[in-house]
Amino acid sequence: MSDRTPAEVLLQARRRDSQAKRGKVLATLDDMFRRGDPVSFTAVAKRAGVSHWLVYADGVREHIDAARTQQDRKPHRDQQTGLAPSTASLNTDLELTRTDNSKLRAERDQLKAALRRRLGEQLNQLSNQSLVDRVDELAEHNQRLAAEADRLRTDNDTLRQRLAEAEEDLTGVRAALRRMMHHKNTADPAG
């Protein structure tokens, strides 16, 4: 058995996939340059069948920039030999880019619509019964709280009444004590 975790296995597989894609991009770039095809990031990505972000990644971008620089150095010779891109070729590239953009926008719109449908389905799954159950639960809770509040009010009234009685008793005891002390002081003047 291997001591590698699933995450390590996945990471290694991704690295292999990334290296294979980078190798494919570089091979495509060499082929395009050898044939004299105009090198651009979009053209390389399209021909290699990879995403645009990969051709701009470190380690790939530099090769494409170098190929473009080499192609830029020979425009006069290419123009003379007919290898420079024609206006029709540039227009074709522009149209292909516009088509790609349209496809991407359509895909984005489809994804948005799918997300809206999914959210709508989730909202519909909350049935009326669950809402009624929740209202009933809240009403029951409210009744319990109202009963508790009434009980606490009654307890509070009882405690206030007891406190008033205790204050009256204390006042009476104080008065009796004063009378007793006064009587004791007046009864025994020698003390």
Side-chain angles (χ1 to χ4, degrees), residues 158-174:
T158 302
L159 290 174
R160 283 177 194 251
Q161 186 178 6
R162 284 185 183 170
L163 179 62
E165 290 171 2
E167 286 174 348
E168 286 177 15
D169 290 346
L170 181 61
T171 302
V173 169
R174 283 182 182 160

Side-chain angles (χ1 to χ4, degrees), residues 8-91:
E8 292 171 335
V9 171
L10 181 60
L11 181 63
Q12 186 178 11
R14 285 186 177 168
R15 283 184 182 147
R16 279 194 309 265
D17 185 49
S18 177
Q19 289 172 349
K21 286 181 180 180
R22 286 171 183 257
K24 185 175 182 181
V25 168
L26 295 177
T28 300
L29 176 63
D30 289 343
D31 183 54
M32 289 175 70
F33 188 76
R34 208 174 359 87
R35 291 178 176 207
D37 294 342
V39 173
S40 69
F41 289 98
T42 301
V44 172
K46 195 175 285 189
R47 185 143 334 149
V50 297
S51 63
H52 282 90
W53 72 265
L54 180 59
V55 295
Y56 286 102
D58 290 339
V60 176
R61 179 183 60 237
E62 295 82 6
H63 292 282
I64 295 174
D65 281 338
R68 291 176 69 191
T69 301
Q70 284 180 327
Q71 281 187 342
D72 288 345
R73 287 185 188 152
K74 56 178 192 161
H76 182 69
R77 183 176 54 110
D78 288 348
Q79 198 119 22
Q80 290 175 342
T81 60
L83 294 176
S86 66
T87 303
S89 174
L90 293 175
N91 285 337

Side-chain angles (χ1 to χ4, degrees), residues 75-137:
H76 182 69
R77 183 176 54 110
D78 288 348
Q79 198 119 22
Q80 290 175 342
T81 60
L83 294 176
S86 66
T87 303
S89 174
L90 293 175
N91 285 337
T92 301
D93 284 347
L94 179 60
E95 189 57 37
L96 288 172
T97 302
R98 286 181 178 153
T99 301
D100 283 349
N101 283 344
S102 295
K103 287 178 184 176
L104 290 173
R105 285 189 185 107
E107 183 179 347
R108 179 203 60 199
D109 292 343
Q110 287 174 348
L111 291 172
K112 278 184 178 180
L115 180 60
R116 283 189 190 117
R117 281 192 303 274
R118 181 68 182 130
L119 287 174
E121 289 170 3
Q122 288 177 352
L123 287 175
N124 288 336
Q125 287 176 356
L126 293 174
S127 69
N128 287 340
Q129 186 58 45
S130 65
L131 295 176
V132 169
D133 291 345
R134 181 67 177 144
V135 168
D136 289 344
E137 178 184 325

